[in-house]
């Protein structure tokens, strides 16, 4: 109720003013804290010289980001540029063989980066899951896939397999786990699709072409096999009107995002400050709330940049890959919370939707979420912090359904029915604001640390109660209302387009 209801323009204007003012105030506190802590001894390892000509240091706490855009920047650009040029040549000369050419190029890139034993190791996992798919038993394929994934996540098998990689370099561990983990998920998708469609007679060659597509190999995103195979099998793919312009725009946005992050890290040390709890505890409540929020926003930006770069190359190859995850700013329900849309789609198709059905019943939903987060825990690597993160998010997803069922209960449903649609939207946005911060706190556990999460929770809920608690909730409420307004506008535009497309 009230989802499609518009609020007065003056009210939305007030929400925009409050939200922008609060973000500016919190940002000012973070900027001052970053300036004050730049020369602290505890910051010495992760705050390094940056723009020396204006005396700015840079937050380099995220080693993956630093490696991607410093020592490994040229390697990444060279590999992806080579793929683009190779793909263009193949499309012009032999478009019917382009999937084979992509696989050969990808396998050679893996061979050159990680060595022959690593390539043979992955081929062994591919062959074993292909043989399992021939038996046509989905439970066997999924079970073997989980066993293969566990072999890359648990000792002693992980130590033995990682020892097969030749040479040593900074991103070796990241590439090892990325390539092997995504390989298992791709093989599982292939095997499950083979069981679901035995009449299509997929071959081992189809699996290898699917797995060794270089842009997706190490870091994803993962496309389910049925989508990848259908799109890659087009002999003469045709671009939609304006598609090249959109690809250029996406590439430009990725470059702008990279530059924006680089500038941001010269002024805001959002990844280093949480590591010094004594310093973080001295921050004003507003700055501390902004610090927690900005940590999740950065993780989304990081994923969006990675997806943007890879998806640009994939779209040049006439693929329609999974898009970047939904921005954390627009999330106020657990059902839409994910940081990798490809893995989310994989889990939904093969586990969550398969068990949970319409996701409207409590017991099937509980079983679906437990199974989904059990596999997610294995994917992330079992450890105490991952167990906690999985439990909290599994609980949050189920609690939303329980709350929805409670809202549909007779007395509460009658109370909401007695409200105007605008008031109903305001009440729901208030609950959305509480849910928004629940999502932040539950995910801050894994993205930062349990100690920092405890500090934020204590300051916002206990020592800051009621002033800070209510102020943060009101600012979040304003943001949720603006997100709802954006969703309402998009829904109306989509309805208008569908009405235009209907034959008269």
């Amino acid at each position: 109720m009230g989802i499609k209801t518009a609020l007065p323009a003056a009210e939305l204007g007030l929400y925009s003013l409050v939200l922008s003012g609060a973000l500016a105030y919190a940002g000012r506190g973070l900027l001052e804290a970053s300036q004050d802590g730049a020369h602290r001894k505890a910051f010495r390892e992760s705050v390094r010289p940056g723009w020396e000509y204006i005396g700015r240091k840079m937050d380099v706490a995220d080693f993956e980001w630093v490696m991607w855009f410093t020592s490994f920047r040229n390697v990444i650009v060279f590999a992806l540029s080579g793929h683009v040029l190779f793909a263009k040549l193949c499309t012009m000369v032999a478009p019917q063989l382009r999937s084979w050419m992509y696989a050969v190029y990808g396998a050679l890139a893996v061979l050159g980066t990680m060595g022959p034993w690593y390539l043979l190791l992955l081929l062994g996992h591919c062959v074993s899951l292909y043989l399992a798919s021939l038996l046509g038993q989905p439970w066997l394929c999924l079970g073997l896939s989980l066993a293969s994934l566990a072999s890359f996540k648990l000792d002693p098998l992980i130590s033995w397999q990682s020892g097969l990689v030749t040479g040593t370099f900074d991103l070796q561990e990241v590439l090892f786990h990325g390539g092997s983990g995504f390989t298992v998920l791709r093989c599982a998708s292939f095997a499950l699709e083979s069981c679901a469609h035995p009449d299509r007679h997929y071959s081992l060659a189809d699996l290898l072409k699917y797995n060794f597509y270089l842009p997706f190999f190490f870091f994803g995103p993962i496309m389910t096999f049925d989508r990848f195979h259908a799109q890659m099998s087009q002999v003469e793919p045709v671009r939609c009107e304006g598609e090249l312009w959109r690809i250029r725009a996406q590439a430009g946005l990725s470059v702008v995002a990279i530059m924006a992050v680089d500038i941001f890290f010269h002024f805001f040390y959002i990844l280093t400050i949480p590591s010094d709890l004594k310093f973080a505890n001295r921050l004003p409540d507003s700055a501390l709330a902004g610090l927690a929020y900005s940590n999740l926003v950065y993780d989304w930006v990081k994923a969006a940049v990675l997806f943007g770069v890879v998806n640009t190359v994939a779209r040049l190859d006439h693929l329609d890959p999974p898009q970047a995850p939904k921005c954390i700013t627009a999330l106020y329900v657990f059902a839409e919370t994910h940081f990798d849309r490809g893995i989310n789609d994989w889990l939904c198709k093969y586990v969550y939707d398969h068990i949970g059905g319409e996701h409207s019943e409590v017991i099937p939903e509980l079983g679906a979420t437990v199974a989904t987060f059990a596999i997610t825990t294995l994917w992330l690597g079992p450890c105490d912090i991952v167990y906690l993160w999985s439990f909290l998010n599994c609980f949050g997803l189920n609690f939303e359904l329980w709350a929805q069922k409670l809202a549909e209960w007779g007395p509460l449903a009658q109370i909401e029915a007695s409200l105007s649609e605008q008031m109903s939207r305001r009440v729901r946005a208030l609950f959305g604001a509480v849910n928004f911060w629940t999502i932040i706190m539950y995910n801050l556990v894994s993205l930062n640390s349990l100690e920092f999460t405890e500090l934020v929770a204590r300051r916002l809920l206990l020592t800051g109660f009621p002033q800070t608690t209510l102020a943060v909730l009101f600012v979040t409420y304003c943001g949720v209302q603006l997100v709802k307004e954006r969703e309402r506008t998009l829904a109306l535009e989509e309805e208008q387009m569908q009405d235009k497309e209907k034959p008269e």
Side-chain angles (χ1 to χ4, degrees):
M1 185 175 182
I3 296 176
K4 296 183 179 181
T5 303
L7 295 179
E11 183 177 346
L12 293 173
L14 175 63
Y15 294 155
S16 300
L17 183 62
V18 170
L19 181 62
S20 57
L23 290 176
Y25 185 70
R28 179 185 175 185
L30 278 177
L31 179 61
E32 293 176 351
S34 299
Q35 292 174 337
D36 294 341
H39 300 286
R40 286 177 62 85
K41 184 177 180 179
F43 287 14
R44 191 172 300 167
E45 291 297 322
S46 54
V47 177
R48 301 287 181 83
W51 296 338
E52 296 182 358
Y53 47 88
I54 60 172
R56 300 300 312 181
K57 293 187 175 183
M58 181 180 180
D59 191 339
V60 295
D62 188 348
F63 84 98
E64 286 185 15
W65 182 273
V66 174
M67 287 295 119
W68 287 347
F69 299 108
T70 54
S71 57
F72 270 81
R73 176 185 56 201
N74 294 337
V75 175
I76 294 172
V77 172
F78 176 78
L80 292 181
S81 298
H83 174 89
V84 172
L85 294 175
F86 194 65
K88 183 62 177 178
L89 179 62
C90 292
T91 304
M92 294 172 59
V93 176
Q96 70 276 12
L97 299 177
R98 65 190 185 108
S99 59
W100 268 115
M101 300 300 180
Y102 296 160
V104 170
Y105 182 87
L108 290 176
V110 174
L111 176 66
T113 304
M114 305 294 287
W117 289 109
Y118 180 72
L119 180 61
L120 290 174
L121 172 66
L122 296 188
L123 286 173
H125 282 273
C126 290
V127 171
S128 65
L129 281 165
Y130 169 72
L131 294 176
S133 70
L134 297 178
L135 300 177
Q137 299 295 326
W139 62 269
L140 177 63
C141 294
L142 184 59
L144 185 58
S145 300
L146 295 179
S148 295
L149 185 60
S151 72
F152 287 111
K153 301 295 181 180
L154 302 172
D155 279 323
L157 288 177
I158 184 177
S159 300
W160 174 75
Q161 293 183 108
S162 61
L164 296 176
V165 181
T166 57
T168 56
F169 50 92
D170 292 330
L171 278 181
Q172 183 184 80
E173 185 176 356
V174 175
L175 296 181
F176 174 85
H177 287 289
S180 57
F182 279 111
T183 289
V184 172
L185 292 189
R186 284 187 287 262
C187 290
S189 177
F190 170 87
L192 292 171
E193 292 296 334
S194 295
C195 294
H197 306 285
D199 55 308
R200 298 181 182 177
H201 304 293
Y202 296 126
S203 65
L204 178 61
D206 292 324
L207 173 57
L208 297 180
K209 289 185 285 187
Y210 170 49
N211 185 60
F212 287 101
Y213 179 69
L214 182 62
F216 294 164
F217 184 81
F218 285 112
F219 300 113
I222 183 170
M223 288 179 67
T224 55
F225 175 76
D226 55 331
R227 292 184 57 211
F228 181 90
H229 183 72
Q231 295 174 26
M232 192 60 75
S233 298
Q234 298 178 13
V235 178
E236 296 183 0
V238 179
R239 297 194 188 280
C240 300
E241 183 178 355
E243 184 179 357
L244 278 177
W245 182 89
R246 289 190 290 271
I247 293 174
R248 294 191 198 100
Q250 184 180 43
L253 286 175
S254 299
V255 173
V256 170
I258 293 170
M259 296 173 61
V261 170
D262 188 76
I263 295 171
F264 185 87
F265 278 160
H266 280 86
F267 293 91
F268 298 92
Y269 305 149
I270 61 169
L271 302 181
T272 296
I273 292 176
S275 64
D276 188 347
L277 294 180
K278 291 183 178 179
F279 184 76
N281 195 34
R282 298 208 304 261
L283 294 177
D285 290 344
S286 59
L288 188 63
L291 181 62
Y293 166 72
S294 60
N295 267 257
L296 266 75
V297 172
Y298 165 69
D299 194 75
W300 171 80
V301 171
K302 182 178 174 181
V305 168
L306 179 60
F307 274 66
V309 172
V310 171
N311 285 4
T312 298
V313 177
R315 291 174 67 185
L316 287 172
D317 293 337
H318 302 274
L319 294 177
D320 182 21
Q323 299 303 304
K326 193 173 182 179
C327 179
I328 184 64
T329 304
L331 293 176
Y332 53 88
V333 290
F334 278 91
E336 297 180 359
T337 303
H338 55 265
F339 295 92
D340 188 317
R341 197 181 296 271
I343 294 177
N344 181 75
D345 293 345
W346 190 98
L347 288 169
C348 286
K349 181 171 185 179
Y350 300 121
V351 183
Y352 184 58
D353 292 341
H354 184 74
I355 299 175
E358 298 296 325
H359 306 293
S360 57
E361 299 298 328
V362 173
I363 300 302
E365 178 70 3
L366 179 61
T369 53
V370 169
T372 300
F373 279 100
I375 295 176
T376 305
T377 299
L378 183 61
W379 164 258
L380 294 174
C383 64
D384 291 344
I385 202 68
V386 174
Y387 295 146
L388 178 60
W389 173 87
S390 294
F391 171 78
L392 292 174
N393 282 271
C394 183
F395 170 78
L397 195 56
N398 281 277
F399 187 78
E400 281 184 349
L401 179 60
W402 303 340
Q404 180 183 341
K405 292 293 185 182
L406 183 62
E408 295 171 355
W409 180 51
L412 292 180
Q414 291 177 4
I415 293 174
E416 185 176 16
S418 66
L419 302 175
S420 66
E421 291 192 346
Q422 290 184 342
M423 185 57 66
S424 175
R425 170 173 162 172
R426 295 185 183 103
V427 172
R428 287 176 175 266
L430 181 61
F431 285 100
V434 176
N435 217 31
F436 179 87
W437 273 99
T438 306
I439 292 172
I440 287 182
M441 300 304 291
Y442 284 4
N443 287 280
L444 198 61
V445 168
S446 63
L447 295 179
N448 202 288
S449 69
L450 180 59
E451 294 76 15
F452 178 66
T453 306
E454 291 176 347
L455 171 63
V456 175
R458 185 173 65 252
R459 288 282 298 277
L460 298 186
L461 298 178
L462 298 179
T463 59
F465 185 84
Q467 292 88 347
T468 299
T469 307
L470 295 178
V472 169
L473 283 179
F474 178 65
V475 171
T476 309
Y477 166 82
C478 295
V480 171
Q481 286 288 24
L482 295 175
V483 171
K484 282 178 171 287
E485 184 63 22
R486 175 61 177 167
E487 292 174 346
R488 186 190 70 85
T489 303
L490 292 175
L492 290 177
E493 291 177 353
E494 185 176 352
E495 287 182 1
Q496 292 174 358
M497 291 183 62
Q498 290 177 352
D499 291 340
K500 290 180 180 179
E501 293 175 356
K502 290 181 180 179
E504 297 181 359

